[in-house]
Amino acid sequence: MDTLAHEAEQRLPAPVLTYFRQGAGAGLSAAEAEAHWDALRLLPHVLRDVSTVSTRTSVLGSEVDTPVLVAPTTLQLSAHEEGEVAMLCGAAAAGSLVCVSSNAGVPFTSLADSGPWWVQAYVLRDRQLTVELLDRARQAGATAVVLTADTPVVGRKHNTGPSVWETVPPEHLLANVDQQGVEAARLEKAADLTPATIDWLRSTLGLPVVVKGVLRADDARECVAAGASAVWVSNHGGRQLDGAIATARALRPVADALAGTDAEIYVDGGIRKGRHALTALALGATAVFVGRPTLWALTVGGAAGVQRLLTELTAELAHAMALAGTPDIPSLTRDLVSG
């Protein structure tokens, strides 16, 4: 993973590289994410038949070969000339699924035959523009809406040089929003979201809604009560409230809060090894998402790079499952994690 990141650093323009890597504020939450997964210890089984190990599972009814999925990221056209199309093709070849950013730089229609995907949603101040954008995604094949709930305002980033927004071409963003004649204020993120927003999205689009950015057990319960099909434990890669709890620590209480419900649980943030994925799944996650590593893979190898990354992470997961005495995803239970 470190080698892949280093190769990407040699290819990306400095402002784009900084944007991909940076966290908010002093970067505390971004810097500590991986270490919290590393700190968790496992209690493996022995004398279990692991002659065959399967990583197959399903998310919101979609069958996938791996529970290692691709988180939404923007400026993918700045990483590779095919942007989101290459990301989806690579993920599909690895048997994975992609959550596509609403800031995508390619039309959703170009993703129709590239692989399974969900659409990430920032609700804009202009609700009608939001609905139009998400309906384009639905018509192009998106099978779920991922409501990003932790961004009422954008976390402040510190730049020592030109900001990425001063350097990237405008066509690398918001390819699916008709901005002609639209005041900039209408494109800003809405700060008045409530649990009712979940039902509004679900009823308006007819798609299951996932709420991303959940770190608290009480919020998780409230989201599901309001109609969310899943919650996504995330601190936005440390890019919003600096000092927010690591997802490796937030996952267990959220899973406890949703025990006995039909809601699925996802997690991202610092997952860099197959062992991290195993730990997350054992703690109650239905699937895990990776973000920055997929950008490095896209930058270095396009679709083939993304496929290779996800295939390698899945192979690491399968190897860890065999060593833990767990031949399939349902056998990854809470008692595998010590403490």
Side-chain angles (χ1 to χ4, degrees):
M1 194 76 72
D2 289 342
T3 300
L4 183 64
H6 179 71
E7 289 185 39
E9 288 173 4
Q10 310 308 308
R11 303 184 185 211
L12 288 167
V16 175
L17 174 63
T18 297
Y19 179 76
F20 285 168
R21 292 182 67 104
Q22 70 189 161
L28 300 176
S29 294
E32 70 180 12
E34 184 177 353
H36 279 279
W37 291 110
D38 282 336
L40 294 170
R41 294 292 176 264
L42 299 170
L43 284 166
H45 294 288
V46 297
L47 300 178
R48 302 294 175 93
D49 183 357
V50 288
S51 55
T52 301
V53 173
S54 173
T55 61
R56 285 188 60 79
T57 190
S58 66
V59 285
L60 295 183
S62 294
E63 297 292 324
V64 287
D65 293 333
T66 174
V68 182
L69 312 179
V70 179
T73 54
T74 192
L75 294 182
Q76 291 185 24
L77 282 177
S78 296
H80 187 273
E81 62 184 2
E82 295 179 355
E84 286 83 0
V85 173
M87 186 72 84
L88 260 72
C89 287
S96 184
L97 173 149
V98 178
C99 182
V100 176
S101 171
S102 58
N103 288 335
V106 303
F108 291 143
T109 51
S110 67
L111 306 178
D113 300 316
S114 300
W117 60 288
W118 301 341
V119 61
Q120 174 266 346
Y122 288 116
V123 174
L124 307 177
R125 289 186 181 180
D126 188 320
R127 296 297 202 272
Q128 184 57 37
L129 285 176
T130 304
V131 170
E132 290 171 1
L133 180 149
L134 296 177
D135 194 53
R136 291 186 185 103
R138 182 189 61 79
Q139 292 183 46
T143 56
V145 174
V146 177
L147 169 63
T148 297
D150 59 1
T151 316
V153 295
V154 177
R156 291 176 178 169
K157 321 294 191 301
H158 300 311
N159 296 297
T160 56
S163 123
V164 70
W165 311 119
E166 300 173 71
T167 59
V168 298
E171 59 268 22
H172 283 195
L173 289 161
L174 292 174
N176 298 283
V177 178
D178 184 2
Q179 301 179 61
Q180 187 172 2
V182 176
E183 296 177 2
R186 293 168 60 196
L187 295 170
E188 292 180 6
K189 296 171 178 61
D192 59 349
L193 305 186
T194 70
T197 306
I198 297 169
D199 186 61
W200 170 69
L201 286 171
R202 187 180 61 170
S203 60
T204 301
L205 296 162
L207 294 175
V209 175
V210 179
V211 181
K212 180 176 180 288
V214 177
L215 293 172
R216 297 174 56 103
D218 53 353
D219 284 349
R221 284 191 295 266
E222 191 169 54
C223 289
V224 172
S229 296
V231 298
W232 185 329
V233 177
S234 175
N235 64 16
H236 215 108
R239 298 173 64 85
Q240 281 301 102
L241 177 62
D242 196 22
I245 190 173
T247 55
R249 292 180 56 196
L251 175 58
R252 191 194 306 256
V254 168
D256 287 344
L258 298 183
T261 73
D262 294 329
E264 295 186 356
I265 302 168
Y266 316 125
V267 65
D268 66 16
I271 294 171
R272 300 292 183 265
K273 304 178 180 74
R275 176 169 55 82
H276 296 164
L278 181 151
T279 303
L281 296 167
L283 286 174
T286 309
V288 304
F289 282 80
V290 290
R292 290 181 179 94
T294 66
L295 289 172
W296 310 144
L298 180 67
T299 300
V300 172
V306 173
Q307 179 185 0
R308 183 166 55 252
L309 169 73
L310 296 173
T311 299
E312 289 176 356
L313 284 172
T314 302
E316 288 181 13
L317 169 61
H319 183 253
M321 289 170 64
L323 290 173
T326 51
D328 52 26
I329 300 300
S331 64
L332 296 173
T333 52
R334 178 71 62 82
D335 60 322
L336 285 169
V337 183
S338 175

